[in-house]
Amino acid sequence: MGDHDTVRTRLRAALCADDPWTALYALDTGRPGPFADAVEEMYRSDPDRAAFGRHLIWFLKRLGEAGDEVLKRLFVERAFAPAERQDVLRAAVDRGLRLPAEALRAHAQRSPAPGPPAPELVDALGLSGDPSFAPRLGALLGDPSAPRGRAALALGRLGARAWTVPIAEGLFEVTGLDHAAFAVALELMGDRAAVPHLLRGLAEGREERVHDVHHALVRLTGRDPLLPEGARGAAYAAAVRAAWADGRTEPARPGVRDLVVDSGTRARFRVEEGAGRIRVDFDPPAPGSSWPRWGRSLTFDGKPLYRVGSVCGTCELGLSLLGWPDGEASRVAARMRGRLADLHRLDAALLADWSPVLGELATGHYRALLLDLPLERVTDPARSWWHRRAAARSPEEDESCAEEARPEDAWPSVAHLQLPTPVPGARVPATYGALLPSQPPEALDPATVARHAAAVAAGERPAAVVLGWVDDRYVEARDEERWLVGVVLDGHHRLAAYAAAGVPARVLWISCPDGGPTEDGGLEGLAELSAAYAVRE
């Protein structure tokens, strides 16, 4: 039996299984090309398309570029019914594909549905790169029956700045997800012409709209004013309005203020107008998603380093490597190294010396902890807490989730360091800790690691610098989990030396508990981290 026949046989067996979705997911797609060809052949067969059409289209999305090319060919096929082409269009949008403008026009004309266009067609017009669609999309902004939030995002993706002011003016007329979508559309547009309208609307708009407007102002102006720590609800809205009340939109020079050393292992400070070279923030919305703000990434100089996941508190925390920064992230912290060579306590002079470096962080109220962390190096996905956490959860699992996830699907896709056990004494027993690299682990210099290992063996304690956060989850509204996640800014060689020697690693942990990826659990989690692992003074 040839390779083509083998692939077709495996594909058809999966489609005919009792649970075809699980069977398709389990197929080894390491060679996507033959599978993509087999799917296209089956989809062009009327009986197979009628029986398995939606399964085939879903499977194409798992095949990467090979599947993308098939989706493009299927969309321009005139023989398919509008409903079948709609399935293809929806999948193409989910993959962020640019479809031919003429094919999109033809599809819109053949669609029998009256009224506004389907959301996936609106998304596809925004992905097309064709500015001629802008008037049609702009006409949807004022139609309450239309997917006008999606239309605004489509205009933002097209960079159709003629519609900046209409979107900014309409921002305060829409509600809910549409309001968020209008704000995000302005961020995608990147047009400062929206700023005066945002400032005026901020002063007049309702409380629940303040967050999106503030976020858009920060993105468009580069100015990131400091807000009171812990402000929520009406207090948060009042603070945001006060921060922008003078109309100033130009960023000021970063500053580190109110530096207080609570002990040799704990300090606090605030960063005002931070440069934000390293920060966690929302990603541009995924095409096809109904949530304008959902996924987030940790970025370095604007380049995504790790996908941090959604703000959904009942979803699992999942991190994944997106790419390494241009140059080592440690250059931000390089000026710290002189005092990091043998660090035993925090003091005000030390942190004051580091103020230029700390100003590179995002605006916020920070804590600094000096810790000795027991760490183990993880190279096997099955050993990572991202996979092992499932064993600590409630035995009652939904039948839909009964299949155990593959270890490689859960972990951050890179070798990292982790606490060997959950944090002792924590309120949430499932409190896990992990340190992720900001440069390729394989790039470490063995001689430098050996030099640090010799210093550790001699009793010195060279410190690594980590930007960390606390992430609380209530998975499926059933299982509490807390994550202490850190990204190494400086000290990859030092951490490797500690892990190899089996000696707890000296770590300067810097965290912004009120401005990180999640708002819950920050101060409590940091207190637990300090109680368990603070350096003994």
Side-chain angles (χ1 to χ4, degrees):
M1 182 181 292
D3 184 65
H4 176 72
D5 291 335
T6 300
V7 167
R8 278 181 54 88
T9 299
R10 293 176 60 202
L11 179 59
R12 190 170 292 278
L15 291 166
C16 295
D18 292 338
D19 182 356
W21 300 108
T22 300
L24 287 170
Y25 180 80
L27 281 178
D28 181 3
T29 55
R31 298 176 58 214
F35 275 108
D37 293 341
V39 170
E40 181 173 11
E41 183 179 328
M42 292 185 70
Y43 197 82
R44 291 182 182 278
S45 161
D46 291 343
D48 286 336
R49 187 170 65 255
F52 306 122
R54 294 200 172 183
H55 294 86
L56 294 170
I57 294 300
W58 175 86
F59 189 60
L60 280 176
K61 294 194 295 182
R62 297 198 62 228
L63 299 179
E65 294 181 3
D68 293 346
E69 294 305 314
V70 174
L71 287 170
K72 292 177 184 178
R73 290 195 293 269
L74 294 179
F75 182 71
V76 300
E77 177 58 63
R78 291 178 173 270
F80 298 148
E84 294 166 340
R85 191 178 292 103
Q86 196 77 3
D87 289 340
V88 177
L89 175 62
R90 193 174 295 111
V93 166
D94 288 345
R95 290 288 298 164
L97 302 183
R98 177 177 290 190
L99 298 172
E102 289 306 314
L104 290 170
R105 290 191 181 92
H107 175 75
Q109 292 170 356
R110 286 193 291 266
S111 177
E120 54 266 26
L121 178 57
V122 172
D123 292 335
L125 298 182
L127 291 168
S128 71
D130 189 331
S132 69
F133 288 128
R136 178 173 184 174
L137 293 167
L140 301 176
L141 296 176
D143 183 357
S145 67
R148 50 187 177 177
R150 305 279 270 269
L153 290 172
L155 288 165
R157 292 188 180 103
L158 287 174
R161 290 191 169 186
W163 293 92
T164 294
V165 172
I167 293 173
E169 291 177 337
L171 175 64
F172 299 95
E173 303 299 324
V174 294
T175 60
L177 292 178
D178 282 344
H179 180 269
F182 274 49
V184 173
L186 295 174
E187 296 173 12
L188 293 175
M189 205 79 77
D191 186 358
R192 287 180 65 99
V195 171
H197 302 274
L198 293 175
L199 291 173
R200 184 168 58 252
L202 180 65
E204 302 169 357
R206 296 199 298 268
E207 177 184 309
E208 65 271 16
R209 299 181 176 182
V210 166
H211 177 272
D212 284 321
V213 177
H214 173 64
H215 194 279
L217 282 168
V218 171
R219 280 286 184 94
L220 292 174
T221 67
R223 179 181 174 234
D224 192 0
L226 182 70
L227 302 176
E229 187 171 21
R232 300 287 186 271
Y236 171 83
V240 170
R241 291 188 175 109
W244 297 96
D246 61 1
R248 182 168 65 88
T249 58
E250 295 301 320
R253 185 174 180 177
V256 177
R257 306 281 188 270
D258 291 345
L259 197 159
V260 177
V261 176
D262 296 316
S263 72
T265 62
R266 297 188 306 278
R268 46 196 161 95
F269 58 91
R270 69 176 196 243
V271 176
E272 297 181 359
E273 303 280 359
R277 291 182 61 193
I278 304 172
R279 68 188 311 148
V280 172
D281 208 345
F282 287 103
D283 299 324
S289 172
S290 58
W291 295 92
R293 298 199 194 278
W294 186 256
R296 299 157 303 154
S297 293
L298 184 143
T299 61
F300 189 89
D301 284 338
K303 181 177 180 180
L305 177 59
Y306 286 98
R307 181 176 291 113
V308 176
S310 74
V311 295
C312 172
T314 60
C315 299
E316 286 188 325
L317 172 66
L319 273 78
S320 56
L321 178 69
L322 296 174
W324 301 112
D326 299 325
E328 294 183 6
S330 60
R331 67 180 181 266
V332 173
R335 280 172 285 181
M336 297 183 182
R337 288 180 182 166
R339 294 291 300 274
L340 295 175
D342 189 19
L343 185 60
H344 292 277
R345 61 179 290 108
L346 299 178
D347 59 68
L350 173 73
L351 293 171
D353 288 345
W354 293 344
S355 291
V357 178
L358 299 175
E360 302 284 1
L361 302 173
T363 295
H365 301 264
Y366 284 83
R367 303 296 190 274
L369 304 176
L370 189 60
L371 308 170
D372 279 337
L373 296 179
L375 297 171
E376 61 181 8
R377 178 173 167 80
V378 183
T379 58
D380 178 2
R383 289 289 306 156
S384 170
W385 284 119
W386 270 276
H387 177 68
R388 292 166 57 195
R389 60 186 172 185
R393 292 187 183 147
S394 303
E396 306 86 13
E397 293 288 348
D398 296 335
E399 291 185 5
S400 59
C401 302
E403 286 292 326
E404 184 177 354
R406 297 182 300 179
E408 59 269 25
D409 293 336
W411 86 321
S413 305
V414 64
H416 59 275
L417 299 168
Q418 67 181 18
L419 296 175
T421 64
V423 176
R427 179 184 62 80
V428 180
T431 295
Y432 309 112
L435 301 188
L436 304 177
S438 60
Q439 60 177 281
E442 60 272 15
L444 296 184
D445 175 36
T448 304
V449 174
R451 176 167 54 83
H452 286 300
V456 170
E460 296 181 13
R461 289 297 176 262
V465 182
V466 169
L467 180 66
W469 65 88
V470 180
D471 195 312
D472 275 16
R473 301 282 168 150
Y474 190 34
V475 179
E476 296 187 15
R478 184 174 53 224
D479 295 298
E480 262 195 293
E481 287 182 359
R482 171 168 289 167
W483 284 85
L484 307 168
V485 183
V487 174
V488 181
L489 301 185
D490 188 63
H492 293 82
H493 293 87
R494 280 160 266 167
L495 290 172
Y498 280 118
V503 175
R506 185 67 47 93
V507 170
L508 176 62
W509 181 288
I510 299 173
S511 188
C512 182
D514 198 44
T518 61
E519 296 178 345
D520 297 330
L523 289 173
E524 180 184 75
L526 291 180
E528 293 172 349
L529 183 64
S530 179
Y533 302 116
V535 170
R536 301 297 180 188
E537 295 188 66

